[in-house]
Each structure stands twice: as C-alpha cells, then as structure tokens.
Amino acid sequence: MGILEKISEIEKEIARTQKNKATEYHLGLLKAKLAKYRAQLLEPSKSASSKGEGFDVMKSGDARVALIGFPSVGKSTFLSLMTSTASEAASYEFTTLTCIPGVIEYKGANIQLLDLPGIIEGAAQGKGRGRQVIAVARTADVIIMMLDATKGEVQRSLLEKELESVGIRLNKHKPNIYFKPKKGGGISFNSTVTLTQCSEKLVQLILHEYKIFNAEVLFREDCSPDEFIDVIVGNRVYMPCLYVYNKIDQISMEEVDRLARKPNSVVISCGMKLNLDYLLEMLWEYLALTCIYTKKRGQRPDFTDAIILRKGASVEHVGTSTKYSPQRVGLTHTMEHEDVIQIVKK
C-alpha cells in the first residue's frame, strides 16, 4: 500500500470514529500517523528535474505576499491592477502556469506580490504543480486567498484543508508548548494550565509513535493533540491570511454584507475596481510594517526615501527618533509609523 492509500485509509478511519473520551487515544495516534505520512509525501523527489521551472523567484522588496486560489478567480487581473506586471488573464482555467512576481508600491514600501498558479484540490498530493505552489507560499509573509464570491464557502474550505495538510497554519499562533528531546530519563510531563484536550497518557502515545521515549514536555496553554503534533514535527509555518472575495458585483447586497463581516475577510470586485484601496490598507496592517524617515543634522527630513521596518522595531535598528517635536530617547524606544530619525554620534 502506497503513502497516498495509507493517508486515505487513516482519513476515512478518523472520519468514521466518534469523538469521545473512549476514542481520544485512538484518534490521537491516527493523527500522529497521518502527520508522519503527509511529511513523507512532501519530501522532495529524488527524480525531480526541470518540473519546478518558473518557481525559483528571488525574494525582494520589503515583504512578500503570496496570492493563491483556484483557477480563474481573478488573481491575474488583481496582479495587473495592483502592480505594473501583466499576468495573462482569461475566463478559462489554468491560465497562469508559472509563478509571476509583481511589486505593489504602497506607503513607501515595495511589496512583492506573487501570482501563483491556481491551486486545485489535491495539490498537497502533488497534483498539477501544487507542490511547487505550496513551497513558494511557505516563504511568504502574508497569504492572500482569492476566492470567488459566487461559489460560497466551498473554495475556502478546500484551500484551508490543502494548506493545513502541508503545514501552513493560517491566522494561528505557535502553540505555547515547551518540547525538548533528551538522551535519557524518560518523558517528563507538566502543565501550567488545566488541560481539557490532551492528557499525559495521550502525549506519551503520540511521542512513542514518533519513536521519542525521552523528552521534556510543558504545556503552557490548553492545546489539542493536533497542535502538540505540530510542535513535535517542528516545520509548521504560522502566517496571517486575508480572505479576499472577488466578483461581489455578481452577488446580492445581503451576501456581500455577510462575507464582509467574516473575520480576516475583504470583499472586492476586480472587474469593477471596487474596494481595492481598503484591501491595500488591510494588507499593510497584516504585514505589520512601519515607515521611518531619516534626517541629517541641520537639514530637513528626507520624505522621499523611507526605511521600512516591522512594527515593534526599536531605535536600536535606526538611531534616535523624533516625531512632531524633537526628543532624545534610548535604544529600546519603539518606533512608530512615519517617525523621523536623526543619528547622533556621541
């Protein structure tokens, strides 16, 4: 039985197993095995050749955004509207066959936008060019998931499942679990909170499935077995995602309102150029960037050449900060958007 068949069998077993106290250990073991097989499936093939051509895109600019979605949801049109890059657009599927980079210039920052080929169901199993698409998506700072507003929630749930299966966690934080394998001493298990989803026995069973018999484990929050498995595997990527519903000009106002109120969601129409400015504002917030300007002594601030930093960056990165009125601060002073910096040599 091949890996795909094993994965399919385990997924079926999980689906037909009722979730209760009596089956929690069985389900935990099944999820651990499933994660192992998925990791094996995504390992680079030794026979890989030029099939990845078109995906080796150098990271440039101040941030990278991956634009993913099913074929013909409007990704290429969006890229053309937001950047000076022309990505072939048509009303049939699989128009984009390679990774096409563009640059969004916004608030002094250069944001690299990658128009990835349309992800299809089963991309995590290597169908189409899904594996290369997902590999590039893992390097992004933010994912824009472009969805067809006329197709409800079907596309979103399928894409979330695909990305989840390859270790990309959307709008989630890394589980607060301390895990350290040891050379001896058995498994030391502790928690600082009351656990309702994982028990010491379940943790030991999952570790044994990974052939780990000596380790320190400390739960600092009430995490699920899936989150504990993520910590063991260690190659998960946690990143913000904006769900962008395109083609809102083709649905009712009530449906537009419903989609717009969903968490982490923006509604747009590329065809009618609706709400694109708000999308850029949201993207800036999700990238958590801040714009800093420099000033030489005795001269006016240079507002033509900004320094782009992550929110929370301190003066240690850039020097002494002034905003509105001059002030002298220490290295730990947190920078704010549109601060003006002057370096003073002691």
Side-chain angles (χ1 to χ4, degrees), residues 27-48:
L27 284 171
L29 277 175
L30 288 175
K31 290 176 178 178
K33 289 180 179 179
L34 185 61
K36 280 175 61 179
Y37 287 133
R38 281 176 172 167
Q40 292 176 25
L41 190 66
L42 292 170
E43 289 175 359
S45 174
K46 293 179 181 178
S47 60

Side-chain angles (χ1 to χ4, degrees), residues 130-323:
R131 185 179 297 182
Q132 293 98 322
V133 173
I134 289 166
V136 173
R138 287 175 66 94
T139 68
D141 298 299
V142 169
I143 285 180
I144 289 181
M145 187 183 291
M146 188 74 75
L147 303 163
D148 189 334
T150 66
K151 296 187 177 180
E153 301 301 311
V154 177
Q155 291 184 342
R156 175 170 171 168
S157 60
L158 288 173
L159 286 173
E160 285 178 333
K161 183 180 177 182
E162 287 293 304
L163 295 173
E164 184 86 9
S165 69
V166 296
I168 296 177
R169 304 292 180 255
L170 303 178
N171 298 322
K172 294 180 181 179
H173 68 275
K174 188 175 181 180
N176 194 357
I177 300 174
Y178 173 77
F179 169 70
K180 183 179 180 181
K182 302 186 299 183
K183 292 184 179 179
I187 294 173
S188 172
F189 176 84
N190 286 290
S191 65
T192 59
V193 296
T194 302
L195 301 182
T196 62
Q197 304 176 75
C198 269
S199 65
E200 182 174 357
K201 180 181 177 182
L202 180 55
V203 165
Q204 289 179 342
L205 285 171
I206 292 172
L207 288 172
H208 291 170
E209 179 63 31
Y210 281 89
K211 304 294 187 290
I212 299 172
F213 303 98
N214 303 285
E216 288 182 37
V217 179
L218 173 62
F219 277 66
R220 297 192 181 101
E221 63 178 344
D222 187 17
C223 296
S224 67
D226 295 293
E227 291 172 319
F228 179 56
I229 291 169
D230 285 348
V231 172
I232 297 172
V233 174
N235 65 347
R236 303 315 194 205
V237 178
Y238 300 85
M239 64 175 65
C241 174
L242 264 176
Y243 300 98
V244 178
Y245 292 90
N246 189 24
K247 305 181 183 179
I248 59 169
D249 53 300
Q250 300 177 26
I251 60 176
S252 66
M253 286 299 296
E254 291 78 13
E255 182 67 3
V256 171
D257 184 65
R258 186 187 72 83
L259 294 175
R261 293 178 185 275
K262 294 176 71 67
N264 310 304
S265 300
V266 179
V267 293
I268 67 167
S269 170
C270 288
M272 299 187 70
K273 300 180 181 179
L274 296 175
N275 216 28
L276 298 179
D277 289 342
Y278 178 67
L279 173 55
L280 283 177
E281 290 178 19
M282 288 292 291
L283 180 60
W284 180 263
E285 289 297 317
Y286 275 60
L287 286 169
L289 298 176
T290 188
C291 180
I292 309 298
Y293 299 105
T294 58
K295 175 186 180 300
K296 293 181 180 180
R297 179 175 289 185
Q299 298 182 20
R300 299 182 68 83
D302 182 4
F303 293 112
T304 62
D305 188 16
I307 299 173
I308 305 299
L309 301 172
R310 296 288 175 181
K311 278 185 181 177
S314 68
V315 175
E316 188 174 3
H317 295 94
V318 285
T320 302
S321 170
T322 62
K323 185 174 184 179

Side-chain angles (χ1 to χ4, degrees), residues 77-110:
T77 305
F78 178 75
L79 181 79
S80 301
L81 288 172
M82 294 292 102
T83 73
S84 58
T85 304
S87 179
E88 185 181 353
S91 59
Y92 50 86
E93 295 190 347
F94 304 108
T95 310
T96 305
L97 300 176
T98 59
C99 178
I100 300 176
V103 176
I104 298 175
E105 296 180 1
Y106 188 68
K107 292 187 177 181
N110 291 323

